[in-house]
Amino acid sequence: ADITSQDSNPPTNIDKMWALAKKFVHRVLTTDACILYLPAQIALAALLDAGSHYSHSFASYVKEERS
């Protein structure tokens, strides 16, 4: 499953958000974040950052359900 099928309000400009997320990761690679954070944490930060540029929240997609 991907973001557009799981999200109740999928982003319409996913290609632009993907490009921003890739730029975020490239910027991170020039820092010491790679030794401080797991790759999944960096990827999640890239998605959240890209979403914030287009006023889209991925919170419903990444939110952990607790009972």
Side-chain angles (χ1 to χ4, degrees), residues 4-67:
T4 56
S5 66
Q6 295 233 340
D7 198 338
S8 61
N9 183 21
T12 56
N13 41 11
I14 196 76
D15 293 330
K16 290 180 181 179
M17 292 170 67
W18 174 251
L20 277 177
K22 283 179 26 178
K23 285 181 183 178
F24 181 96
V25 171
H26 285 265
R27 285 193 315 267
V28 165
L29 292 175
T30 64
T31 70
D32 60 351
C34 294
I35 60 173
L36 298 173
Y37 301 101
L38 297 172
Q41 291 173 310
I42 295 171
L44 179 59
L47 282 178
L48 294 174
D49 180 65
S52 71
H53 280 73
Y54 289 99
S55 300
H56 184 80
S57 173
F58 288 107
S60 64
Y61 186 75
V62 298
K63 184 177 177 183
E64 180 181 340
E65 295 293 326
R66 296 182 185 211
S67 51

